[in-house]
C-alpha cells in the first residue's frame, strides 16, 4: 500500500435539490475480506455516469457520491485469494459508480468478484475505450452472431454514434457483417461510414409510429440501444428467423407491438444485461475483444480527458452532443 493518506475523486454532492460536482481529497478506508484496492489509471464516461452526476435517484440513491461505472488499474492492496498486488484488472458495471463509489477517482475499493484480469494484449486505455459500452456491444454481437451470419443480410444498429452503437458497428465490420446505422445526426454520416457502417439511416425514418403489425423485411438482425418506437419498427422490419438484441431505453421503455413478428417470422428478441452478466461470459467477451474482435483503430474513436474536464463532458452527454467514447486519465 502506498503511503498517501488521501486521494482525488470527482464527488457529487446534493445541496437543496441541486447537484454540484467538485474534485475532493478522500481518505482511504480499510479493506474487508475478499476486497482489493485498485490504483485507477483510466475510467470512462457512460450515460449512467452522467445520470448519476446529475442526481438521478434511479441510478444513485445517496449522495455525496463518486460516479464512474468503469475502471482499470493496478491492485496496490489485497485481501483476496484470487488477486494479488501488482495485478492489472478491469472493473465494469455491477454496483460500481452507482451506489458504490466509482472509477472517477484515483483509487477504488471493490469485491474481488467484480474484477477481471486485464488481457495481456490490451492496454489500459484500450480497455476503457471498450469499457461497459464495449462489453455491452460485445455481448450483443456474441448473442447475435450465434444465430445470424454475415451472409444472412445486413444488421441495423440504433443509437449508432453512442458508445455501444459505435463499438457494435466496428466489431460487426471486423466480423464481416454489413451494417446500417440509425442516427439523428446528419453531420455524423462520414464518421459512421469511417467506423464501418455501410449505410446511414436518419432516425426520423424510424421514429414515426407505424400501425402495420409487420413491415417489409430489410435486416437479418439488429442491435438496439434506444428502445421505444425505433425498436418497434426495427422488430417489424427483421427478416424471418432474425435476431434483435436490446440494451437501452433512452427513447422509451415501452413497446407497442403485436406478436406477429415473433410467431409469423420467428424473430427472437434478446435482452442484454451487462451489469450483472456472469463472470465466465465476461471473460469470454473480454478475450474476444482483445484478440479476434480487437479494433485496430480503437484509439481513434475516443477523446481523452482529466477529472477537471469531466463535468463539461457530462453536460454535453446529457444534451446528446458526444460521439464515440470519452476516457478519463487518472494517473497524471
Amino acid at each position: 500500500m502506498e503511503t498517501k493518506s488521501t486521494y482525488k475523486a470527482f464527488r457529487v454532492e446534493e445541496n437543496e435539490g441541486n447537484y454540484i460536482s467538485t474534485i475532493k481529497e478522500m481518505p482511504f478506508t480499510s479493506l474487508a475480506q475478499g476486497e482489493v484496492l485498485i490504483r485507477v489509471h483510466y475510467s470512462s464516461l457512460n450515460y449512467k455516469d452522467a445520470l448519476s452526476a446529475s442526481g438521478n435517484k434511479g441510478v444513485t440513491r445517496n449522495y455525496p457520491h463518486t460516479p464512474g461505472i468503469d475502471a482499470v488499474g493496478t491492485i496496490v492492496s489485497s485481501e483476496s485469494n484470487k488477486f494479488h498486488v501488482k495485478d492489472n484488472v478491469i472493473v465494469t458495471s455491477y454496483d460500481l459508480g452507482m451506489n458504490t463509489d466509482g472509477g472517477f477517482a484515483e483509487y477504488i475499493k471493490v469485491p474481488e468478484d467484480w474484477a477481471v484480469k486485464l488481457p495481456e494484449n490490451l492496454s489500459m486505455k484500450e480497455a476503457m475505450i471498450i469499457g461497459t459500452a464495449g462489453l455491452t456491444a460485445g455481448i450483443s454481437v456474441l448473442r447475435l452472431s450465434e444465430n445470424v451470419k454475415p451472409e444472412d443480410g445486413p444488421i441495423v444498429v440504433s443509437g449508432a454514434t453512442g458508445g455501444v452503437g459505435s463499438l457494435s458497428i466496428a466489431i460487426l465490420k471486423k466480423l464481416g457483417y454489413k451494417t446500417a446505422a440509425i442516427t439523428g445526426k446528419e453531420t455524423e454520416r462520414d464518421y459512421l461510414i469511417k467506423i464501418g457502417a455501410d449505410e446511414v439511416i436518419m432516425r426520423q425514418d424510424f421514429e414515426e409510429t407505424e400501425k402495420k403489425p409487420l413491415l417489409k423485411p430489410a435486416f437479418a438482425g439488429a442491435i438496439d440501444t434506444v428502445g421505444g418506437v425505433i425498436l418497434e419498427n426495427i422488430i417489424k422490419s427483421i427478416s424471418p428467423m432474425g435476431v434483435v438484441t436490446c440494451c437501452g431505453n433512452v427513447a422509451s421503455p415501452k413497446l407497442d407491438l403485436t406478436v406477429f413478428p415473433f410467431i409469423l417470422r420467428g424473430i427472437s428478441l434478446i435482452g442484454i444485461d451487462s451489469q450483472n452478466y456472469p463472470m465466465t461470459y465476461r471473460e469470454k467477451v473480454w478475450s474476444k475483444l482483445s484478440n479476434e474482435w480487437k479494433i485496430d483503430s480503437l484509439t481513434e474513436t475516443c477523446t481523452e480527458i482529466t477529472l477537471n474536464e469531466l463535468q463539461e463532458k457530462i453536460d454535453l452527454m446529457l444534451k446528446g452532443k458526444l460521439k464515440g467514447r470519452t476516457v478519463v486519465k487518472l494517473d497524471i
Side-chain angles (χ1 to χ4, degrees):
M1 172 63 194
E2 300 177 18
T3 56
K4 290 176 62 176
S5 60
T6 62
Y7 62 93
K8 288 185 173 61
F10 178 90
R11 295 291 281 178
V12 180
E13 299 180 317
E14 184 176 3
N15 183 6
E16 297 181 350
N18 296 314
Y19 293 86
I20 301 167
S21 64
T22 53
I23 310 299
K24 288 205 165 185
E25 291 287 336
M26 299 292 295
F28 288 97
T29 56
S30 59
L31 295 178
Q33 183 61 39
E35 288 186 331
V36 293
L37 181 67
I38 301 166
R39 171 69 169 99
V40 179
H41 293 273
Y42 285 95
S43 183
S44 68
L45 177 59
N46 299 276
Y47 192 66
K48 270 188 180 178
D49 302 321
L51 293 176
S52 175
S54 58
N56 187 302
K57 294 298 179 75
V59 177
T60 300
R61 292 187 297 271
N62 299 309
Y63 294 82
H65 176 66
T66 302
I69 64 172
D70 291 344
V72 63
T74 304
I75 292 176
V76 295
S77 184
S78 175
E79 291 294 330
S80 163
N81 295 321
K82 183 178 177 182
F83 295 106
H84 307 285
V85 172
K86 296 186 179 179
D87 283 349
N88 293 327
V89 294
I90 304 166
V91 184
T92 58
S93 51
Y94 294 106
D95 193 49
L96 185 72
M98 297 178 67
N99 293 295
T100 301
D101 284 340
F104 295 163
E106 292 179 320
Y107 291 84
I108 57 171
K109 182 178 69 171
V110 299
E112 62 183 7
D113 292 341
W114 292 6
V116 59
K117 279 199 173 182
L118 177 72
E120 288 186 5
N121 53 337
L122 200 64
S123 72
M124 289 191 181
K125 183 175 180 179
E126 288 173 332
M128 284 297 95
I129 296 172
I130 295 170
T132 291
L135 180 65
T136 305
I139 296 168
S140 301
V141 171
L142 182 67
R143 299 299 302 275
L144 187 77
S145 63
E146 290 172 345
N147 299 280
V148 179
K149 305 307 176 188
E151 59 269 22
D152 293 333
I155 307 300
V156 64
V157 180
S158 67
T161 60
V164 177
S166 59
L167 288 164
S168 294
I169 289 169
I171 296 168
L172 288 166
K173 179 73 171 179
K174 184 90 174 180
L175 297 179
Y177 289 87
K178 298 290 186 182
T179 58
I182 298 175
T183 182
K185 304 170 184 175
E186 175 66 43
T187 56
E188 301 302 334
R189 181 180 295 271
D190 290 344
Y191 166 74
L192 290 168
I193 297 296
K194 180 181 178 182
I195 64 173
D198 296 281
E199 179 187 2
V200 178
I201 301 170
M202 288 296 102
R203 186 173 62 206
Q204 57 263 31
D205 295 334
F206 264 86
E207 276 184 327
E208 294 183 11
T209 301
E210 183 57 73
K211 295 299 183 183
K212 295 178 182 178
L214 291 169
L215 300 175
K216 182 180 177 181
F219 312 105
I223 293 177
D224 175 71
T225 71
V226 298
V229 173
I230 290 174
L231 177 55
E232 292 171 17
N233 289 337
I234 285 174
I235 291 171
K236 295 175 185 179
S237 303
I238 299 297
S239 300
M241 305 307 294
V243 172
V244 178
T245 69
C246 64
C247 64
N249 58 16
V250 66
S252 173
K254 297 181 179 180
L255 291 178
D256 183 9
L257 286 169
T258 69
V259 297
F260 292 140
F262 307 104
I263 64 174
L264 297 182
R265 290 184 180 167
I267 291 167
S268 298
L269 177 61
I270 299 175
I272 303 298
D273 174 22
S274 61
Q275 182 176 343
N276 297 298
Y277 205 57
M279 183 55 72
T280 301
Y281 296 103
R282 283 173 180 262
E283 291 172 342
K284 180 178 180 179
V285 173
W286 276 112
S287 177
K288 286 182 175 294
L289 290 167
S290 63
N291 289 290
E292 64 264 36
W293 290 5
K294 189 172 183 182
I295 302 162
D296 298 330
S297 59
L298 200 55
T299 56
E300 297 176 13
T301 64
C302 86
T303 302
E304 182 179 308
I305 64 170
T306 65
L307 281 182
N308 292 325
E309 301 169 281
L310 190 50
Q311 185 59 56
E312 176 189 352
K313 297 300 182 183
I314 287 170
D315 294 340
L316 289 172
M317 176 169 275
L318 290 170
K319 294 175 183 176
K321 293 183 178 180
L322 278 190
K323 67 178 180 181
R325 295 285 286 154
T326 300
V327 298
V328 187
K329 184 176 174 66
L330 278 303
D331 58 343
I332 300 171

